[in-house]
Amino acid sequence: MDKRLRECNDKLRKLVSCVQGAPYPGTIGNELYEIWYEHIQQIAVECFEFLDENFPKEQEDISKTINKMF
């Protein structure tokens, strides 16, 4: 796996890990939920920026990108 795919993999794992750690939905409005939400938004933005910078051609046809990975 090249460096870009390894970095992408790390970022996506971090994002999924944070999503899994989401507070219980009943806590919406709770300070814990607000902190988590800001954190997950920051990580999601980082993932999208990384994809835009490193895989710009593949944005047009995601199936080509997926096929390249396997």
Side-chain angles (χ1 to χ4, degrees):
M1 189 181 305
D2 75 354
K3 183 182 176 189
R4 291 185 317 161
L5 286 178
R6 212 174 16 253
E7 189 174 345
C8 183
N9 183 26
D10 291 344
K11 288 182 180 298
L12 291 176
R13 283 182 185 275
K14 184 176 177 183
L15 179 62
V16 170
S17 175
C18 287
V19 169
Q20 286 179 326
Y24 183 73
T27 63
I28 292 177
N30 185 321
E31 184 177 352
L32 176 62
Y33 181 84
E34 291 175 21
I35 292 168
W36 170 82
Y37 185 80
E38 288 177 19
H39 181 71
I40 197 76
Q41 287 297 314
Q42 178 184 356
I43 294 169
V45 167
E46 287 175 18
C47 286
F48 280 122
E49 288 174 350
F50 179 83
L51 291 172
D52 287 345
E53 290 173 14
N54 292 283
F55 300 97
K57 293 179 184 176
E58 289 84 350
Q59 290 176 15
E60 297 172 10
D61 187 358
I62 193 67
S63 62
K64 289 180 184 178
T65 303
I66 293 170
N67 289 335
K68 287 180 186 178
M69 295 176 81
F70 295 105

